């Protein structure tokens, strides 16, 4: 009885916190000419946080970021490295002075994302699954 | 010392300070490292050497840091060395601080490290400086404390103590003067110390005075003791454990050497002519063994004079505890002589010069103390036959003479090693040393008994008499007949008793059956005591007949004992027993009472009969006094002639005066007294004249062979004739045949009793028996 009680409250707790992080179903995509089948989570981290900017086939990687106030951006970084956009900004702030690496380029809308993805190979972006275009190639899917 | 302590403590302090400074430096460097860690890890994550360089430059701004290296993966991302590094000390390079760098996005993933080299010489220099500063500070502080403590010591302790010490030096010892307390110290420890010292000197004065007084007293005492020592009549001496004399007085010298020897050095207690100086040596050893309890041990020792005279000296020594021995010495020669004399007296029989009983016991004890396996000896116990009669008839001097003769003959007979003794009365004991085979003893005893039997002429009051000594003897052998003194004597005594029972002038060897016989007798004694209480004893009455008229005139009361298991027991057995165990008086009263009762019944039935009762010598005069007899007669309403007293010659042989008196008193009251068993003992005719007797009873041993033995006939005839002439009645005992009856009647014997007429019968059958006898006699008379 007691166990059931604890289990009940655990379920309640999960149902309260889960929506915060599992609201949107995000995927990392690229254009059709990039030529890389998938990426691991670690590769996504390295590319987005400026460690490497090169894909496994040697193509330079060009990640796209959403605007500052974007919920999708917030969701993406949280699910990727459990950091808030402010923390990500602080991170980049220390690196930009050396000039050796730059943060991902910011885009303003989904349309711009699509345009950039289509423009040349090696461009990467994160979008909600329901905004998927048939031309996009999914490189990485967050676990649901 | 202080320097050493100061140096060591300074060194320890500086060490600890140094370590602390170093730890502090390392900690602060670690903290610095932590502040740059996140930036360094970002630099390593992104391989941003510029960012890394910036971090390094920032760190190098800290003057303690000599160089910094940031490594990403396996490659050096950036490194920097302080340009102003003073000394490059390789021995310190092995202590770099290293911190691994984790990925900024994954704490578990190590992506590089940051290595920091501290500028140790510089840190060392700083540490040294700081340590030195601290030490100087400490030293200064210590100096101040030491100085102030020293000042306090000087002013408050050392100077007052010096003052006290100076004053103590000025004190005259033994005069009891006191010292003054230093000013201002009346209430401090110094003040108390001074007053304690004053107390002590005061007490010391008292002690000194006491010691002086005691010394004086001791001197007086010593003079006194010296006088005592010099003038004492007893010898006083001090020796060591080997007998060397340390000091001694004049008396001691006189006792031992007659005079004080000139040379007093190296004298020994053992120099004197002791007969056994080894005994003295062991006395000294004994005293030394008891040193702790200080007991005095003492003993007598024999000193032999120049001309062989004996001197007994008593020596008493005690060990005071310093290894020496103090002793006194007294001449006890006189006491010793007396003791020896007394001991001789105590163990010697004066009459014979033999050992007495005590001496005998000692002698046997000594023989027993020898080696058992080799010891064997025989004890001969000897008892003269009829000695009592000799004593009584001829007087005690005659008895003593007899004992002297026996002793003389024993002396002739014994061999060296044998020990003769007179153990009491006429009892002699001879210890035959080494006598083993019975046959040898047998032969010797036979020789001895015949030697003893040789006639001896003896002067008595009644003229010279020739006597022939006869004795009985019992022999017991050691060890088979007993292993201790008492068993042996008891065995010999039993053998002697057995020999006496068997007859005169013989000897028996002890046999175990004798013990059985003694046991048997003891049981009969018990039974007899029991029988008296239980009424197993009763009276039988044997008729006494007037041989002329054929009438029954009376009866002799005879005691009978129907023992429940042994059947009838003979009076010959139980009467002597009763005498021996002291129940004869009781038994006598029983007989008298019973006899009176029976005769009174007869009298009331019209028979004017009397009853004679046997009285033992032991009953006269106290166990059966005339008044008891007369009272019994009176109580049963009987005239005094109804009871007749029968006595034996034994009664007359004892104390004649007493017996005479007793008989006279009863005779005067009208009782008749018969002399029983006449002819068996001494049968002195003088008895018949001297005692108030009424009849003699001829013993049945003379009657038995009357018809065949002419001697017996002559004797009986003589007795009858003589008695008749003395107006005494004659009663023949043991009349068993008609021939006896007729012969006696014809010889003029008036009365008789015996189986011809009737054995003793129970009282209730008596009347019947009387009728039967009188009828038979009438027939006999008619026939004869």
């Amino acid at each position: 009885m007691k166990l059931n009680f604890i289990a009940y409250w655990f379920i309640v707790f999960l149902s309260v916190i889960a929506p915060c992080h599992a609201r949107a179903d995000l995927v990392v995509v690229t254009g059709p000419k990039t030529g890389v089948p998938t990426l691991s989570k670690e590769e996504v981290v390295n590319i987005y946080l400026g460690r490497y900017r090169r894909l496994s086939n040697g193509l330079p990687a060009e990640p796209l970021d959403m605007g500052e106030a974007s919920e999708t951006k917030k969701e993406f970084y949280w699910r990727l490295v459990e950091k808030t956009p402010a923390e990500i900004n602080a991170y980049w702030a220390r690196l930009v002075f050396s000039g050796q690496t730059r943060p991902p380029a910011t885009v303003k809308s989904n349309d711009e994302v699509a345009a950039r993805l289509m423009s040349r190979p090696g461009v990467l972006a994160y979008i909600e699954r329901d905004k998927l275009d048939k031309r996009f190639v999914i490189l990485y899917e967050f676990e649901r | 010392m202080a320097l050493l302590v100061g140096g060591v403590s300074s060194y320890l302090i500086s060490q600890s300070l140094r370590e602390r400074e170093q730890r502090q430096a390392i900690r602060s460097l670690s903290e610095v490292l932590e502040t740059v860690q996140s930036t360094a890890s970002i630099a390593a994550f992104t391989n941003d050497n510029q960012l890394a360089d910036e971090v390094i430059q920032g760190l190098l701004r800290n003057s303690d840091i000599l160089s910094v290296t940031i490594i990403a993966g396996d490659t050096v991302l950036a490194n920097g060395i302080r340009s102003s590094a003073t000394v490059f000390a390789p021995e310190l390079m092995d202590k770099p601080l290293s911190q691994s760098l984790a990925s900024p996005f994954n704490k578990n993933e190590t992506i590089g490290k940051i290595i920091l080299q501290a500028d140790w010489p510089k840190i060392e220099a700083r540490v040294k400086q700081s340590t030195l500063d601290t030490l100087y500070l400490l030293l200064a502080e210590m100096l101040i404390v030491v100085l102030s403590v020293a000042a306090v010591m000087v002013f408050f302790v050392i100077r007052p103590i010096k003052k006290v010490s100076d004053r103590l030096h000025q004190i005259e010892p033994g005069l009891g003067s006191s010292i003054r307390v230093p000013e201002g110290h009346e209430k401090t420890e110094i003040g108390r110390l001074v007053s304690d010292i004053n107390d002590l000197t005061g007490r010391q004065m008292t002690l000194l005075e006491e010691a002086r007084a005691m010394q004086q007293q001791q001197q007086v005492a010593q003079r006194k003791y010296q006088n005592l020592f010099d003038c004492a009549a007893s010898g006083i001496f001090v020796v060591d454990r080997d007998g060397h004399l340390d000091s001694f007085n004049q008396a001691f010298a006189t006792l031992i050497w007659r005079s004080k020897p000139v040379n007093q050095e190296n004298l020994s207690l053992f120099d004197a002519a002791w007969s056994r100086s080894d005994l003295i040596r062991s006395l000294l050893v004994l005293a030394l063994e008891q040193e702790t309890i200080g007991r005095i041990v003492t003993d007598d020792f024999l000193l032999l004079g120049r001309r062989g005279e004996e001197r007994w000296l008593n020596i008493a020594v005690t060990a005071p505890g310093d290894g020496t021995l103090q002793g006194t010495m007294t001449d006890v020669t006189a006491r010793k002589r007396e003791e020896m004399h007394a001991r001789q007296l105590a163990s010697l029989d004066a009459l014979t010069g033999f050992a007495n009983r005590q001496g005998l016991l000692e002698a046997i004890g000594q023989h027993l103390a020898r080696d058992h396996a080799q010891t064997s000896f025989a004890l001969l116990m000897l008892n003269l036959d009829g000695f009592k009669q000799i004593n009584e008839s001829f007087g005690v001097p005659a008895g003593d003479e007899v004992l002297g003769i026996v002793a003389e003959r024993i002396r002739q007979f014994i061999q060296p090693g044998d020990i003769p003794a007179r153990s009491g009365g006429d009892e002699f004991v001879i210890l035959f040393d080494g006598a083993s085979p019975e046959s040898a003893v047998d032969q010797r005893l036979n020789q001895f008994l015949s030697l003893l039997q040789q006639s001896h002429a003896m002067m008595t009051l009644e003229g010279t008499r020739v006597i022939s000594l006869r004795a009985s003897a019992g022999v017991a052998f050691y060890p088979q007949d007993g292993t201790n003194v008492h068993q042996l004597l008891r065995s010999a005594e039993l053998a002697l008793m057995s020999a006496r029972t068997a007859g005169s002038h013989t000897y028996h060897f002890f046999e175990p059956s004798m013990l059985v016989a003694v046991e048997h007798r003891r049981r009969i004694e018990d039974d007899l005591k029991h029988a008296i209480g239980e009424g197993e004893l009763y009276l039988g009455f044997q008729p006494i007949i007037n041989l002329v008229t054929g009438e029954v005139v009376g009866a002799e009361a005879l005691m009978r004992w129907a023992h429940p298991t042994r059947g009838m027991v003979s009076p010959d057995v139980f009467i002597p027993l009763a005498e021996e165990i002291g129940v004869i008086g009781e038994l006598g009263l029983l007989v008298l009472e019973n006899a009176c009762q029976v005769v009174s019944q007869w009298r009331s039935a019209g028979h004017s009969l009397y009853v004679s009762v046997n009285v033992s010598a032991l009953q006269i005069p106290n166990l059966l006094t005339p008044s008891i007899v007369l009272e019994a007669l009176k109580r049963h309403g009987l005239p005094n002639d109804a009871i007749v007293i029968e006595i034996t010659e034994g009664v007359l042989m004892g104390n004649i005066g007493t017996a005479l008196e007793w008989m006279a008193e009863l005779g005067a009251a009208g009782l008749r007294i018969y002399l029983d068993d006449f002819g068996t003992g001494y049968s002195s005719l003088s008895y018949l004249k001297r005692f108030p007797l009424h009849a003699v009873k001829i013993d049945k041993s003379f009657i038995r062979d009357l018809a065949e033995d002419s001697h017996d006939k002559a004797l009986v005839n003589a007795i009858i004739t003589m008695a008749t002439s003395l107006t005494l009645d004659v009663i023949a005992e043991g009349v068993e045949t008609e021939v006896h009856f007729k012969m006696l009647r014809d010889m003029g014997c008036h009365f008789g009793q015996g189986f011809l007429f009737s054995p003793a019968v129970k009282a209730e059958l008596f009347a019947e028996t009387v009728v039967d006898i009188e009828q038979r006699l009438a027939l006999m008379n008619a026939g004869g």
Side-chain angles (χ1 to χ4, degrees), chain B residues 37 87 94 134 150 159 188 340 368-369 393 414 425 509 520 522 538 560 595 608 612:
Chain B
Q37 191 177 11
V87 186
D94 57 354
T134 315
R159 279 169 72 179
T188 64
M340 277 178 198
L368 290 178
S393 308
I414 57 173
F509 291 109
H520 174 78
R522 199 185 56 71
Y538 66 90
R560 290 287 177 266
S608 73
S612 67

Side-chain angles (χ1 to χ4, degrees), chain A residues 42 45-46 49-52 81 83 88 90-91 94-101, chain B residues 38-40 42-51 54 103-105 107 109 111:
Chain A
E42 205 181 344
V45 170
N46 286 340
L49 289 153
R51 198 172 192 184
Y52 313 120
V81 291
K83 296 215 183 284
I88 295 298
Y91 170 78
R94 290 194 233 176
L95 287 168
V96 286
F97 293 106
S98 66
Q100 295 216 331
T101 181
Chain B
S38 72
T39 312
I42 290 170
F45 184 73
T46 56
N47 286 317
D48 189 337
N49 48 14
Q50 219 165 332
L51 183 57
E54 241 172 84
S103 157
F105 307 104
K107 296 269 177 290
E109 189 191 357
I111 53 165

